[in-house]
Amino acid sequence: MTSPDVAPAPPLTFVIFGATGDLTRRLLIPTLINMTHNGLVGEDLHVLGIGIEPGNVEMLLERLDAFLKTSGDIEDQERKAAWQSLRKRISYISGDFTQNAVYKSIADYLSHAPSANAAFYFAVPPSFFGDIAEKLSENGLTDETTGAFRRIAIEKPFGHDLASAQALNARLLNHAEESQIYRIDHFLGKETVQNIMTTRFANMMIEALWNNNYIDHVQITAAELVDVGLRGKFYDATGALRDMVPNHLFQLLAMVAMEPPNSFDAESIRNEKAKVLKALRHYSREEATQNGVRGAYTAGPLAGRDLPAYTETADIAPDSDTETFVALKLLVDTWRWAGVPFYLRTGKAMKTRDTEVVISFRQVPFAQFPRHDSRPQLPPNRLIIQVQPDEGLDMEISIKSPGLVLKTAPISLDFRYADRFDIGKQTGYESLFYELFVGDQTLFQRADGIEAGWAAVQPFLDLWAEGGKPDPYAPGSMGPACADELIGRDGRTWHQPGDKPGRKTV
């Protein structure tokens, strides 16, 4: 159950565009079940599904029932009871959401709803974001009255380059206020990501060292074990850079590099994050060539099966030059981070599923300890923030080995959320939905931050649009050789997931 000091969300209707889609059954409904079970929402939450498929609410409920029975989301009696409670408050409207008729039906539904509060969730392809926002506005559905709110929630991608992101933001803001728009990046719903600020600002011994005097470099990795699979049509038009860097990886970067906010209200935090993204150095074409590499996986074994090459995957053009892996070296031009490189990498069909932030501290300036073997005498201290899976923190330090001879040994002080807290079965969307319902935008992206992120990657998009092929890499590896060369030119190496010195659990 939720903490007693967290009040349930206010009454509202949660309107889901794309109610019959994969995102709704796989994430949105299980999230609402968890929130119902944990007391984050009450029986005054109503769900209105909007879908193009003909049928009534029984059709939608039958599909959801079938999925939930096989997914394990209602495997215990308490979650079954939560689902039975929630499903009684689900309705469905079938229709084309590019036409006014659907919105008139929504308006009629809301006029008879117990509460005038409404949040509209766009679980649809990005090409419809602007259209839906415009129709909501034209039909008066974004108009807020005293004591009643209207909010819009949209998933990434927010555009596919700087110009399209600016155009989308302009269109959205023409039909709704920034305070009504909640741009969702599901990484921000993860406990470990939210804990980055607490780790920094609640611990003097960490924040005091959080600058270029003590930090050598930062690595951010989002490795995926899965391949492109059945998402070929979407992925070939997107690629690893657009899919992951301006959103997920930049949100992690911003949390690591932001200055302490004046308060923990939404705008103070979003102001500091936006400052970081605006401070990312914009490369020239020549600089982009030196500081960015990309790859595409070849055919080979992966997780016990034979994986076809990316260009041999369904819905992928045989001559495609879309990347499935990208690595970048970025610089944050602020006083705190001057001279500290941020290395980012992400890819599909890699060795393991792993998202982590590695803070590598500088070497000690002088060490008197005798060397007894060929290993470097004192490895640098590292703080590893494990975002997923197995969420937690590792601090790598050096200690004296037991015995009469003075020898140092690296060890890892580990903390795992699952060892200390009962985090249960969560989707990662629970905190995002709760903040959406109560009107807290802390975990959501703002227009200026979105555009600043795209501005930083635009030089790489322009460079790769000129031609050339991504470098090949084998499935089950950690990417192409050019990624090792990128970081190796600076005398550094990538942290290997799971590579930890002697472990001590705390």
Side-chain angles (χ1 to χ4, degrees):
M1 298 297 289
T2 188
S3 172
D5 59 355
V6 178
L12 79 153
T13 298
F14 191 38
V15 183
I16 302 175
F17 288 90
T20 58
D22 178 68
L23 181 63
T24 298
R25 61 175 173 266
R26 184 170 51 86
L27 284 174
L28 306 191
I29 294 300
T31 297
L32 295 177
I33 292 172
N34 290 341
M35 295 179 72
T36 301
H37 170 252
N38 293 330
L40 293 174
V41 294
E43 294 189 357
D44 48 12
L45 169 73
H46 293 261
V47 179
L48 175 60
I50 312 297
I52 192 67
E53 294 192 47
N56 55 22
V57 68
E58 293 304 321
M59 175 274 294
L60 176 61
L61 292 175
E62 286 176 7
R63 291 190 179 190
L64 294 175
D65 283 333
F67 177 82
L68 292 170
K69 287 178 182 177
T70 58
S71 67
D73 289 298
I74 52 172
E75 57 189 9
D76 60 63
Q77 291 301 318
E78 291 185 348
R79 280 186 170 77
K80 284 182 181 177
W83 168 233
Q84 291 304 315
S85 172
L86 178 64
R87 77 190 300 279
K88 296 174 184 176
R89 291 172 275 118
I90 295 178
S91 303
Y92 180 71
I93 295 174
S94 173
D96 183 350
F97 45 71
T98 65
Q99 303 299 316
N100 284 324
V102 167
Y103 300 89
K104 295 185 185 303
S105 297
I106 296 173
D108 180 66
Y109 177 95
L110 293 177
S111 69
H112 295 91
S115 169
N117 294 332
F120 303 97
Y121 195 101
F122 297 2
V124 297
S127 58
F128 292 108
F129 289 171
D131 293 337
I132 296 176
E134 183 174 315
K135 290 294 184 182
L136 287 172
S137 175
E138 288 177 354
N139 288 272
L141 292 169
T142 56
D143 296 342
E144 295 186 323
T145 59
T146 302
F149 62 76
R150 297 294 168 88
R151 297 170 186 149
I152 292 172
I154 60 177
E155 290 263 2
K156 75 169 185 74
F158 313 106
H160 60 271
D161 57 14
L162 177 58
S164 61
Q166 291 172 329
L168 176 59
N169 278 328
R171 193 174 183 192
L172 290 173
L173 292 169
N174 192 43
H175 298 291
E177 299 296 327
E178 179 66 51
S179 60
Q180 295 178 278
I181 302 173
Y182 291 68
R183 300 172 186 84
I184 289 181
D185 184 334
H186 69 264
F187 264 39
L188 294 183
K190 297 182 181 300
E191 288 287 352
T192 321
V193 175
Q194 297 177 47
N195 194 43
I196 292 175
M197 285 195 298
T198 307
T199 300
R200 288 184 55 189
F201 304 137
N203 297 286
M204 177 58 79
M205 67 178 184
I206 291 179
E207 179 60 19
L209 306 178
W210 211 259
N211 57 64
N212 55 6
N213 291 326
Y214 301 101
I215 292 178
D216 178 74
H217 72 282
V218 178
Q219 298 181 25
I220 302 176
T221 295
E224 295 184 88
L225 182 62
V226 298
D227 59 293
V228 172
L230 301 176
R231 301 174 69 224
K233 186 175 181 180
F234 162 81
Y235 202 86
D236 208 32
T238 305
L241 178 61
R242 287 185 171 95
D243 190 39
M244 294 291 289
V245 176
N247 36 72
H248 296 338
L249 270 61
F250 276 7
Q251 286 302 302
L252 293 175
L253 186 155
M255 298 282 262
V256 169
M258 65 185 284
E259 293 296 320
N262 292 331
S263 70
F264 282 99
D265 66 85
E267 285 311 293
S268 295
I269 292 173
R270 300 207 297 177
N271 285 341
E272 298 303 333
K273 289 168 63 178
K275 288 177 185 177
V276 172
L277 297 176
K278 292 173 183 177
L280 287 169
R281 184 176 299 180
H282 295 180
Y283 289 138
S284 65
R285 183 189 184 283
E286 291 71 24
E287 290 171 329
T289 303
Q290 292 297 314
N291 292 293
V293 298
R294 57 181 181 153
Y297 60 80
T298 59
L302 179 69
R305 64 188 179 93
D306 291 328
L307 180 70
Y310 173 71
T311 51
E312 298 170 352
T313 304
D315 298 320
I316 304 297
D319 60 348
S320 173
D321 59 3
T322 298
E323 77 284 349
T324 62
F325 174 95
V326 63
L328 307 176
K329 174 187 174 182
L330 299 174
L331 297 171
V332 179
D333 289 331
T334 63
W335 189 295
R336 181 188 291 260
W337 297 108
V340 177
F342 286 72
Y343 300 98
L344 278 59
R345 62 175 173 169
T346 182
K348 290 191 174 294
M350 299 184 73
K351 178 181 178 180
T352 186
R353 175 175 176 257
D354 180 82
T355 301
E356 64 180 20
V357 178
V358 180
I359 312 296
S360 290
F361 292 89
R362 295 187 182 278
Q363 294 274 9
V364 294
F366 177 70
Q368 303 92 333
F369 305 101
R371 181 177 299 182
H372 295 279
D373 53 36
S374 59
R375 294 179 301 171
Q377 187 171 349
L378 288 175
N381 300 136
R382 292 189 296 194
L383 175 64
I384 302 171
I385 303 168
Q386 190 71 31
V387 177
Q388 66 179 12
D390 199 19
E391 296 88 344
L393 297 171
D394 300 325
M395 174 62 81
E396 296 181 359
I397 64 173
S398 293
I399 64 166
K400 177 188 176 297
S401 296
L404 299 178
V405 178
L406 181 58
K407 289 184 180 181
T408 61
I411 67 163
S412 178
L413 306 176
D414 293 356
F415 161 72
R416 289 292 172 268
Y417 267 90
D419 294 339
R420 178 65 178 82
F421 302 103
D422 180 12
I423 57 178
K425 185 181 177 67
Q426 302 291 310
T427 66
Y429 277 67
E430 290 82 5
S431 58
L432 296 171
F433 280 15
Y434 184 78
E435 302 300 331
L436 167 65
F437 296 165
V438 301
D440 187 333
Q441 292 183 300
T442 302
L443 301 179
F444 300 87
Q445 299 189 66
R446 202 169 61 188
D448 58 341
I450 295 285
E451 294 174 16
W454 279 114
V457 301
Q458 192 63 50
F460 300 103
L461 294 174
D462 293 341
L463 173 65
W464 296 338
E466 296 176 3
K469 293 288 185 181
D471 284 16
Y473 66 94
S477 70
M478 286 304 293
C482 57
D484 295 326
E485 295 166 3
L486 172 70
I487 196 170
R489 287 196 293 267
D490 297 333
R492 302 180 176 102
T493 58
W494 292 106
H495 176 254
Q496 296 301 311
D499 179 17
K500 300 174 185 176
R503 177 178 297 178
K504 177 178 175 60
T505 302
V506 296

